[in-house]
Amino acid sequence: RAIRDADQLPVVIKTPRSEYPTSRALANLQHEYSMLRALDLPGVIKALALESRGNSLALVLEDFGGQSLYKLAAQQPFGIEKTLQIAIAVADTLAILHAEPIVHKDLKPHDVLRRSPIC
């Protein structure tokens, strides 16, 4: 997470893990950027920029202050009602993406962000 100098907007910066990423890793980041830029859907984070960063790239995403489902679940286990609410919200967003047609290959609790606390 960072603050963008140009407009003081809070952002999330996603970079490859390696200091010298493979061409495939860079292509994946470029693909993710172009896909996100083409989407304007509820529940899907906005891509703001793709910046050069030394030997790599940095994907700049909006930061709406959300927390990952992974972190929220680690703080306090969810009851059945909250678990079902989350599952329905994720399924609804995936249905919208699949209608585009876009398939999220590796959906993990780290990828699901919530604007406000669940519990």
Side-chain angles (χ1 to χ4, degrees):
R1 290 192 150 138
I3 301 294
R4 191 163 61 175
D5 288 338
D7 54 10
Q8 300 303 298
L9 187 70
V11 295
V12 173
I13 301 172
K14 181 177 179 179
T15 61
R17 293 181 184 184
S18 172
E19 185 177 344
Y20 297 96
T22 64
S23 58
R24 183 177 179 147
L26 295 176
N28 286 343
L29 208 56
Q30 289 173 326
H31 179 69
E32 182 176 356
Y33 172 71
S34 62
M35 294 285 289
L36 288 173
R37 290 292 291 178
L39 295 173
D40 186 18
L41 301 172
V44 178
I45 199 163
K46 308 288 184 266
L48 303 175
L50 185 64
E51 308 275 338
S52 293
R53 181 182 158 264
N55 301 310
S56 189
L57 294 171
L59 177 57
V60 182
L61 304 165
E62 72 173 328
D63 183 358
F64 54 81
Q67 278 194 305
S68 74
L69 186 57
Y70 177 82
K71 286 184 180 179
L72 290 169
Q75 292 171 359
Q76 180 178 351
F78 305 138
I80 188 71
E81 186 175 326
K82 290 294 177 190
T83 300
L84 289 173
Q85 288 174 354
I86 294 165
I88 290 168
V90 170
D92 287 346
T93 300
L94 287 173
I96 292 168
L97 286 173
H98 291 177
E100 286 301 318
I102 296 169
V103 176
H104 195 298
K105 297 188 309 185
D106 189 23
L107 188 62
K108 304 178 293 288
H110 291 85
D111 299 331
V112 178
L113 302 176
R114 296 289 296 193
R115 290 188 188 271
S116 60
I118 294 172
C119 303

